[in-house]
Amino acid sequence: MAPKLVELTDDVLFGEVWERAELSPRDRSLVTVTALAALYRTEQLGFHLKLALDNNGLTKEELGEALTHLAFYAGWPTAMTAVTQFKSIAEEPAGPESTTTA
């Protein structure tokens, strides 16, 4: 439906921005997950939680701690919604659809 948006997402966001050396993929995932959770962007949050766990080196404990910390800055309901989504993703087995890079 929006081929240019897909192209920009692939080439600019995941191609150029995510590949910049100034932050590791792990750190980019942590920033992205917390921003999406804080802004209540739940539709994109699941993808990035899975990416953080399966590809970018964050542990379940680290993501849980980040979301707990976030509750005091972004609001309890926002963090609880993110934790609920995180729980369902964390309980899924990693599948072959996982990619090796952001």
Side-chain angles (χ1 to χ4, degrees):
M1 299 299 294
K4 187 62 177 182
L5 180 59
V6 172
E7 178 187 334
L8 290 168
T9 300
D10 291 345
D11 296 347
V12 178
L13 177 59
F14 287 111
E16 294 178 28
V17 175
W18 273 82
E19 296 300 321
R20 292 173 52 86
E22 290 79 9
L23 286 176
S24 69
R26 179 195 178 284
D27 291 345
R28 288 186 191 279
S29 272
L30 186 59
V31 169
T32 302
V33 164
T34 56
L36 290 171
L39 295 170
Y40 207 74
R41 302 299 196 258
T42 57
E43 193 163 317
Q44 295 293 312
L45 181 59
F47 170 82
H48 282 283
L49 283 165
K50 191 158 182 55
L51 184 68
L53 284 171
D54 293 347
N55 300 102
N56 290 340
L58 283 156
T59 67
K60 292 176 185 178
E61 293 77 15
E62 290 169 325
L63 287 168
E65 185 63 25
L67 295 173
T68 299
H69 186 78
L70 185 69
F72 294 91
Y73 294 92
W76 205 267
T78 299
M80 289 302 290
T81 298
V83 167
T84 300
Q85 192 170 2
F86 173 50
K87 182 179 184 293
S88 68
I89 288 165
E91 292 174 347
E92 293 175 2
E97 69 278 356
S98 297
T99 59
T100 56
T101 61

